[in-house]
Amino acid sequence: MTEPGVNAEPTAAARPPRVRVQRRPLHGVLLLDKPLGLSSNDALQKAKWLLRAEKAGHTGTLDPLATGLLPLCFGGATKFSQLSLDADKRYLATLALGVRTTTGDAEGEVLERQDADHITRDQVEAASRAFVGEIDQMPPMYSALKHEGKALYEYARQGIEIERKSRRVTIHAIDIVAMHPGTVTLDVRCTKGTYIRTLAEDIGAALGVGASLAALRRTGSGGLTLAGAVTLAQIEALPDEQRAGLLTSPDCLLADAPELRLDMPDAVRFLSGLRRRVEAPDAERVRVYGPEPRAFLGSAHITAGELIADRLLTPPEVQALLERPVGASA
């Protein structure tokens, strides 16, 4: 029997009470610079906890190996997250030339090594040019794509190969940023769903020495860039009352769309979902605002002079965004 006070387990009454995090409604977008080693969901949950947010979601996954831009949507901004999911992406991809792995990246086991020191810049440029434009890509087995409700990488880890269909993607441009013996860093601009690991392997095959992805950093998503992005460590270093000020308005996800401003009566009707007649050209997507300069209401499209709502903020969400400090942005 343990004597009182000697290596005794604290009683329930003696334990400090568990502090419950007081969640709060936040609306906006956080431009996060995701660190190496965390999944997108891990980074989202950490940011959500640091901001004490009630509702949040990310706008497309980055592998744990990848770093860089991960826009996180909070509250009403989650209504527009699909826009970022569908947006073109930009990456800095570092290829290990002459190295083939089981996963196509640095996390896999090495299958083959070849001497690649003789590969020239001109050869890399020529090989890369062959993949610019519309191409068909075969999704890698080590991916999060689902087959019968199970991620492909789970089958791959069991040594099971699943038949996959190729996907049509577009590579807008590939430029060499840096080149050293055995490695090359490429600036890749592409459509959503492009597998940079697969692109690295294909370029390596075209060079005749093989290649795998040594590092990947996302630098852009649609009109968003790493400019103004913050790290989890930077968020954590701020006092709690300043963290919400890192969010920027949801309309940043529609930065490439034209703007349409409504007077107060039409703004009220638009927020109720009613169609409005407007003197504006047809457009697949517009950003719609009320009379107050920062009163973002939602997204819409214009057909034959008629404004038709696509995604709407609620009046309380609009008011919450208006009440944020004018200088508050990422």
Side-chain angles (χ1 to χ4, degrees):
M1 181 174 179
T2 306
E3 295 181 21
V6 181
N7 298 324
E9 288 292 328
T11 64
R15 294 192 193 106
R18 180 176 294 178
V19 178
R20 180 183 289 273
V21 176
Q22 191 69 36
R23 300 288 181 179
R24 54 186 172 179
L26 293 178
H27 306 284
V29 177
L30 176 73
L31 301 184
L32 182 70
D33 187 345
K34 188 189 85 66
L36 185 70
L38 281 187
S39 70
S40 294
N41 188 59
D42 288 341
L44 168 68
Q45 296 306 323
K46 178 71 172 176
K48 184 180 177 182
W49 181 80
L50 288 171
L51 271 68
R52 297 192 289 110
E54 289 181 349
K55 181 181 180 182
H58 61 70
T59 58
T61 57
L62 277 177
D63 290 341
L65 176 70
T67 67
L69 184 63
L70 182 65
L72 302 180
C73 295
F74 293 82
T78 59
K79 299 173 183 178
F80 308 95
S81 60
Q82 189 65 41
L83 298 175
S84 190
L85 280 165
D86 293 339
D88 287 353
K89 305 296 189 292
R90 187 168 188 171
Y91 299 94
L92 283 179
T94 300
L95 279 57
L97 301 177
V99 180
R100 291 178 52 245
T101 72
T102 53
T103 59
D105 60 23
E107 293 186 326
E109 296 178 10
V110 175
L111 294 171
E112 182 183 23
R113 290 186 187 274
Q114 292 192 50
D115 178 29
D117 289 351
H118 63 282
I119 298 297
T120 67
R121 187 185 186 97
D122 286 345
Q123 287 176 305
V124 175
E125 287 179 345
S128 298
R129 275 198 300 271
F131 299 98
V132 174
E134 284 193 359
I135 62 171
D136 290 317
Q137 263 196 346
M138 183 65 68
M141 276 301 300
Y142 281 89
S143 69
L145 284 180
K146 296 290 178 63
H147 174 74
E148 296 182 349
K150 190 174 173 182
L152 288 182
Y153 65 77
E154 296 183 60
Y155 293 100
R157 287 170 180 169
Q158 298 171 18
I160 301 172
E161 184 84 9
I162 301 296
E163 186 176 349
R164 288 127 28 230
K165 293 182 178 179
S166 63
R167 297 162 55 159
R168 179 59 60 97
V169 297
T170 300
I171 310 291
H172 298 300
I174 303 175
D175 297 307
I176 297 176
V177 175
M179 189 166 180
H180 305 285
T183 66
V184 61
T185 299
L186 304 175
D187 179 6
V188 181
R189 280 152 283 174
C190 56
T191 54
K192 69 166 186 175
T194 302
Y195 285 99
I196 307 300
R197 277 182 295 153
T198 301
L199 178 65
E201 290 181 307
D202 289 345
I203 290 174
L207 290 168
V209 296
S212 55
L213 191 62
L216 183 66
R217 182 163 177 77
R218 185 193 283 164
T219 58
S221 176
L224 303 175
T225 69
L226 278 169
V230 295
T231 64
L232 290 171
Q234 288 173 320
I235 301 171
E236 197 162 11
L238 284 175
D240 177 72
E241 63 272 13
Q242 293 182 23
R243 293 174 184 175
L246 295 171
L247 300 184
T248 192
S249 176
D251 59 346
C252 71
L253 299 174
L254 295 92
D256 296 336
E259 173 185 326
L260 182 70
R261 193 166 296 279
L262 303 176
D263 59 24
M264 185 58 75
D266 277 341
V268 171
R269 295 185 183 96
F270 175 75
L271 278 181
S272 69
L274 293 176
R275 299 185 177 194
R276 311 304 306 147
R277 297 297 302 178
V278 292
E279 294 185 6
D282 286 3
E284 290 184 4
R285 182 174 295 121
V286 292
R287 293 173 288 146
V288 183
Y289 297 83
E292 209 281 348
R294 295 189 298 129
F296 174 61
L297 307 180
S299 64
H301 60 279
I302 300 174
T303 302
E306 199 169 40
L307 180 67
I308 305 168
D310 292 326
R311 293 286 185 272
L312 295 173
L313 293 174
T314 65
E317 289 167 349
V318 174
Q319 190 59 40
L321 288 169
L322 287 173
E323 290 172 355
R324 293 180 63 230
V326 175
S329 64

